[in-house]
């Protein structure tokens, strides 16, 4: 568990996209951000106040989150002095970079001296159990996709926000690096050892109040040859009561696999439901989330309406149109 | 790759079952075994000659394989002196135990001094790629099960033996610890990091002659809540041309999951085929392998005949009746 609130480190981001982790935290957890820290030449801006480390400490910051990625995912020398200064001032560090903070000897040394934590969310920090398949109390919703990167995380985030606005009990459960940095907790599922994947998701979504919903962040796709095993572990560990089908309509082929085509929403529905019924006979597909970022307003509406008529399920782009109808569909 | 031939270390096995890894090597690769090494009180016997380490060396042994498991999977003190003696004499060591040889400081030191290898087949020794889903030349057959431990490895082994007897090109591809120790090579799939599971199986079953068959060792089950992700990665990484359905008819519930029932063979056929078609549209279910160990001769025959009539697929216990009909079904 990463201590909050955060100071967002944007470093010398070469463009706004390089700081997409910071953007995600700012978009979804603005209340956790006391400000941002930028180096000369930084091309990203979260619209937060630029703070020194001392100012951030004075406002109660507990962790500096590296919200920016270099090409290659390494920790650059221009960052190093700032990171050490943060540790010396009493901040923890959190990172989703490929290169681990803990493997940088100078940072590990300074963290140790100051008794500060280095959170590398790319690797699991917990010894997860093997899944036992026992039904748990509370409700769970999982987004499954026709492909990777079709908006599964944003769908769960949008639904959680809407549910909280309605005073429903809802918790986004992060299963990827960005989600973990946004919420401060979760399972980096793609880095878990094969035998413990489903168990890690049972651990992440334990027994809860009967009217509480976990909104589980989806990963991969049952139809993606590289990552499908991760997706199935998520379905079987998550025991979903409700599935949301996610789709990006302009994709030409499966992400990273030029020879592979997306399945239809019908194929996704049938495959995901069959697999979900192994652990939860009552699971239903309740709605469809379309990532319409590449479509005009009119195209987006038409595509959703057409899909809704064909599939007989509420169909929206929750980021563009709101997640209300998906939340209604949870019943 | 583990150097052969082997000296099988049976230690102080408390019963024959404790030495089941050695039994598997002896059953499936007798030509790789120069002899066995037993400690006082050993209750297992492979019917091989009892050799000293010097005698084994004289017969060309290259590796001493720990073919026995203690309760808890650790390396006992009574073994330690023998293992060091083997290293000093010039043998490598191979183990599938939970506790790793390389983490035993004294063994690691002696191995290093003698430039001998310590093979811990429970952990991957290769940095596997992420799967690319590109079709490969050659043919692949995968056994999939209604449950874990229903005879998938034995089915593949029996088929490989039959195919070699017919002078067909066939290679058993190990995906578990026992299989790896039997064949000296393979992928310990349950210990691979999630993102690399399917890629490890692509690595294991590369391009080959058009008339060559890989017989891929199955793992878990699509319907087993704890391990299904591993199974799906195996299907998508393996790109099977042929699937064999494996079943154990007397099981009361899914192994380790008292609340979960086995799927029917029809459900397994439909789910496995749908998933296999994602990577290989031509994949077919060609036969059924029944583990009849718990049935009488008459019961076994009746069960297979009944299943064959119902499913319309050749159905045998390959270990009891021979794998000829399954091999015929590969076409």
């Amino acid at each position: 568990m990463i201590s909050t609130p955060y100071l967002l480190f944007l470093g010398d981001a070469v463009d706004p996209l390089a700081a997409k982790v910071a953007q995600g935290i700012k978009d979804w957890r603005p209340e956790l951000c006391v400000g941002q820290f930028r180096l000369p030449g930084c091309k990203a801006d979260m619209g937060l106040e630029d703070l020194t480390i001392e100012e951030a400490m004075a406002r109660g910051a507990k962790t500096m989150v590296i919200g920016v990625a270099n090409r290659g995912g390494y920790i650059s020398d221009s960052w190093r002095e700032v990171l050490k200064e943060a540790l010396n001032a009493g901040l923890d560090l959190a990172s989703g970079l490929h290169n681990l903070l803990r493997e940088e000897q100078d940072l590990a040394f300074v963290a140790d001296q100051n008794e500060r934590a280095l959170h590398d969310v790319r690797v699991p920090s917990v010894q997860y159990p093997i899944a036992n398949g026992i039904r748990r109390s509370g409700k769970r919703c999982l987004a499954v996709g026709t492909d990777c990167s079709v908006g599964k995380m944003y769908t769960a985030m949008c639904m959680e926000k809407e549910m909280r606005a309605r005073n429903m009990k809802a918790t986004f459960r992060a299963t990827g690096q960005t989600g973990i940095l946004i919420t401060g907790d979760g399972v980096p599922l793609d880095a878990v050892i094969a035998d413990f994947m489903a168990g890690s998701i049972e651990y992440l979504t334990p027994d809860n109040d009967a009217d509480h919903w976990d909104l589980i962040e989806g990963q991969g796709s049952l139809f993606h040859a590289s990552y499908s095993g991760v997706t199935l572990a998520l379905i079987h560990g998550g025991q979903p009561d409700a599935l949301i089908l996610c789709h990006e309509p302009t994709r030409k082929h499966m992400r990273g696999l030029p020879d592979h085509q997306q399945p239809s929403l019908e194929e996704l529905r049938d495959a995901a439901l069959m697999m979900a019924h192994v652990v939860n006979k009552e699971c239903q597909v309740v709605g469809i989330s379309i990532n319409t970022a590449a479509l005009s307003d009119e195209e987006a509406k038409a595509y959703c309406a057409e899909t809704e008529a064909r599939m007989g399920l509420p169909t929206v782009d929750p980021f563009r149109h709101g997640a209300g109808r998906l939340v209604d569909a949870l019943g």
Side-chain angles (χ1 to χ4, degrees), chain A:
Chain A
M1 193 96 190
I2 303 170
S3 299
T4 60
Y6 300 146
L7 173 63
L8 299 184
F9 177 77
L10 308 186
D12 44 5
V14 294
D15 56 28
L17 197 65
K20 70 176 182 177
V21 168
Q23 191 69 53
I25 301 174
K26 163 59 172 36
D27 286 348
W28 297 107
R29 292 290 185 273
E31 72 277 14
L32 299 184
C33 306
V34 304
Q36 65 188 18
F37 186 103
R38 299 194 290 172
L39 288 168
C42 180
K43 300 284 195 304
D45 183 358
M46 298 303 122
L48 296 167
E49 215 174 320
D50 286 294
L51 301 180
T52 65
I53 284 167
E54 290 66 33
E55 289 167 341
M57 290 296 293
R59 297 192 192 187
K62 295 274 185 288
T63 302
M64 185 156 82
V65 176
I66 300 183
V68 57
N70 282 323
R71 195 190 277 267
Y74 67 96
I75 291 148
S76 78
D77 286 338
S78 64
W79 299 2
R80 209 172 283 273
E81 290 313 307
V82 182
L83 302 185
K84 287 191 219 169
E85 187 191 336
L87 290 168
N88 279 323
L91 290 171
D92 293 340
L93 295 181
S95 158
L97 295 177
H98 196 79
N99 285 17
L100 305 183
L101 296 172
R102 72 183 71 161
E103 289 180 356
E104 303 290 324
Q105 290 192 352
D106 52 347
L107 295 181
F109 178 77
V110 177
D112 194 48
Q113 271 193 320
N114 291 283
E115 297 183 358
R116 290 298 97 205
L118 299 178
H119 297 284
D120 288 301
V121 304
R122 196 165 278 272
V123 290
S125 56
V126 173
Q127 177 85 43
Y128 300 114
I130 287 183
N132 62 30
I134 296 172
R135 280 298 296 277
R136 308 190 288 291
S137 53
K139 299 274 195 180
R140 285 156 199 88
C141 176
L142 174 67
V144 292
T146 51
D147 195 356
C148 300
S149 308
V150 293
K152 295 185 294 292
M153 186 181 88
Y154 266 62
T155 299
M157 284 290 193
C158 290
M159 290 180 72
E160 187 207 38
K161 191 174 176 182
E162 172 71 17
M163 292 170 86
R164 290 193 171 182
R166 296 184 188 186
N167 283 316
M168 295 170 72
K169 296 179 190 166
T171 309
F172 172 81
R173 299 295 190 183
T175 62
Q177 284 79 13
T178 304
I180 295 171
L181 287 173
I182 290 174
T183 61
D185 200 8
V187 168
L189 185 57
D190 62 7
V192 172
I193 298 279
D195 251 3
F196 303 97
M197 294 188 299
S200 74
I201 303 305
E202 292 188 348
Y203 171 94
L204 181 69
T205 59
D207 281 316
N208 216 317
D209 295 345
D211 59 346
H212 176 278
W213 281 90
D214 280 327
L215 285 317
I216 307 173
E217 181 187 355
Q219 294 293 340
S221 166
L222 286 176
F223 293 85
H224 196 291
S226 313
Y227 308 117
S228 56
V230 176
T231 310
L232 186 52
L234 203 44
I235 293 174
H236 282 169
Q239 292 180 357
D241 300 278
L243 295 171
I244 308 281
L245 309 182
C246 296
H247 184 55
E248 203 288 299
T250 69
R251 226 30 99 69
K252 295 279 180 287
H253 58 74
M254 291 297 272
R255 191 175 163 87
L257 306 177
D259 298 343
H260 291 241
Q261 297 307 305
Q262 272 82 20
S264 65
L265 282 165
E266 286 86 345
E267 288 172 295
L268 173 63
R269 175 195 63 200
D270 294 347
L273 209 47
M274 176 168 57
M275 285 295 112
H277 284 165
V278 170
V279 287
N280 184 352
K281 291 267 180 289
E282 270 97 57
C283 182
Q284 295 189 308
V285 175
V286 301
I288 299 173
S289 170
I290 307 291
N291 178 347
T292 65
L295 303 182
S296 70
D297 276 346
E298 210 162 301
E299 289 169 335
K301 273 195 186 149
Y303 191 91
C304 288
E306 215 171 85
T307 305
E308 177 153 346
R310 193 178 94 231
M311 300 289 294
L313 289 165
T315 303
V316 297
D317 181 335
F319 195 64
R320 193 167 193 166
H321 310 130
R325 295 187 60 221
L326 297 180
V327 171
D328 294 344
L330 292 179

